[in-house]
Amino acid sequence: MATYHSGERAVQERAGLGDQARFSLGGIHNAVPEVAAAFLATQPMIVIGAPDTEGRLWATQLVGQPGFLSAPEPDRLVVETLPQPGDPLADAIADANPRRPLRVGAIAIEPATRRRMRLNGRAVARGDRIEIDLDQVIANCPKYIQKRQPVLHTDTTPPQNRRVTDSTALSPGQQDTIRAADTFFVATASDSGDADASHRGGNPGFVDVLSPTTLRWPDYIGNAMFLTLGNLAVNPTAGLVFPGWDTGTALHLTGTARTVWDPGALASFPGAQRLVEFSIDAVREITNASPLRWSEPVFSRFNPPPR
């Protein structure tokens, strides 16, 4: 039976949404329903969140031809690809084995229909694929997802066209990328190491760049589970990925995050219930990280107005 950990319960109660959270608990399962398995089989991408070999959390995007995701058993997800060289999770996933599985959070999202589902569990690498024994399967609402259609999908990106750049702070160009973003994904983990990956969306400008090493974004009304903020309450480490929808570039960040509850800080973020402030420890930008390209977005009607 699904339960919340202490951090999730603490955030739910502080937000005054304990009753709603207890109702939402019914949406957390440990198996993939048949309709969800069919959904997974049509997806060309999934986002994975996990710790690297040094224990730093990262989020990354894995892609493949539809069919590369499958649930051959209700409690198992198979991903028929591995991260490319240079991906911040490549080594950790390659090292994952039955004796030492890697705790991962995953989110499959279909921008064209604004559907998404989260799948969290323990991963091992077997040959050229990842197998995840599932502990949590969660269907999420379509709020704040920008509608996009895939317009290009090729099997591979030549390695010689992929460039990896590391730093400890955002360049001016990377700051501009974040200011223009309408979507990113965040990886968190509980104090016992159980990982989760989640989606964040809004109109461009919803992520505020406070400095080359500090970001801030609003937390909008959701399902009251507070899986992300609950993890941050007991374990501040986090990883972000900003996908380049039209370029295939991936901007990965790892660091720590905290929830800001100060009502005075919310004034400049329409619709915000809380804020999250993220401190950057490391940046990795990978050009041509994904062969997917997407159409211009149709913004969600749930997005609060631009700042």
Side-chain angles (χ1 to χ4, degrees):
M1 182 176 179
T3 59
Y4 293 120
H5 64 64
S6 62
E8 292 162 340
R9 293 193 300 272
V11 175
Q12 292 159 6
E13 294 302 325
R14 183 164 184 177
L17 295 171
D19 289 343
Q20 183 179 338
R22 285 184 283 275
F23 175 80
S24 295
L25 190 60
I28 301 178
H29 305 282
N30 60 4
V32 178
E34 187 175 342
V35 65
F39 166 77
L40 290 170
T42 63
Q43 301 312 305
M45 73 171 183
I46 192 167
V47 172
I48 301 286
D52 66 9
T53 55
E54 299 176 15
R56 302 177 301 178
L57 278 176
W58 297 89
T60 195
Q61 180 181 241
L62 302 179
V63 303
Q65 294 284 357
F68 91 112
L69 300 176
S70 65
E73 302 168 37
D75 60 352
R76 176 166 295 190
L77 173 68
V78 175
V79 183
E80 298 282 357
T81 192
L82 296 173
Q84 296 290 327
D87 187 287
L89 290 178
D91 291 342
I93 289 177
D95 291 346
N97 60 73
R99 295 181 61 183
R100 295 191 63 183
L102 182 68
R103 296 185 187 185
V104 304
I107 179 167
I109 185 167
E110 186 174 65
T113 61
R114 296 190 169 110
R115 291 189 293 171
R116 58 180 165 176
M117 64 182 301
R118 289 151 84 169
L119 309 104
N120 303 334
R122 293 148 288 124
V124 299
R126 298 186 188 276
D128 58 357
R129 69 181 187 174
I130 305 166
E131 297 183 3
I132 305 173
D133 289 327
L134 298 171
D135 299 317
Q136 290 185 323
V137 178
I138 309 158
N140 284 144
C141 72
K143 283 184 177 180
Y144 319 121
I145 297 177
Q146 323 319 329
K147 190 172 185 179
R148 286 180 164 90
Q149 298 283 349
V151 294
L152 170 70
H153 186 198
T154 57
D155 289 331
T156 58
T157 298
Q160 64 268 25
N161 293 337
R162 186 179 295 112
R163 185 176 68 253
V164 179
T165 305
D166 287 320
S167 65
T168 56
L170 296 167
S171 70
Q174 291 166 344
Q175 293 177 49
D176 289 342
T177 294
I178 291 173
R179 291 188 182 101
D182 57 58
T183 301
F184 70 93
F185 299 90
V186 53
T188 59
S190 70
D191 51 353
S192 61
D194 294 319
D196 178 71
S198 184
H199 161 276
R200 291 293 182 269
N203 286 326
F206 85 109
V207 183
D208 195 10
V209 181
L210 300 179
S211 78
T213 57
T214 308
L215 306 179
R216 183 178 281 184
W217 64 83
D219 187 67
Y220 299 138
I221 294 173
N223 56 22
M225 291 180 181
F226 294 108
L227 304 186
T228 298
L229 300 193
N231 282 344
L232 294 178
V234 294
N235 179 1
T237 57
L240 314 182
V241 63
F242 289 83
W245 298 105
D246 57 346
T247 65
T249 293
L251 179 59
H252 304 272
L253 313 176
T254 188
T256 57
R258 67 183 184 93
T259 303
V260 178
W261 296 87
D262 177 15
L266 304 180
S268 60
F269 289 86
Q273 306 296 300
R274 292 147 295 273
L275 303 176
V276 178
E277 190 167 290
F278 180 74
S279 298
I280 297 168
D281 292 333
V283 178
R284 176 164 295 184
E285 184 176 71
I286 306 176
T287 62
N288 290 311
S290 168
L292 284 173
R293 301 295 184 272
W294 299 81
S295 64
E296 289 295 313
V298 176
F299 295 114
S300 170
R301 64 185 178 87
F302 295 101
N303 290 349
R307 295 194 300 135

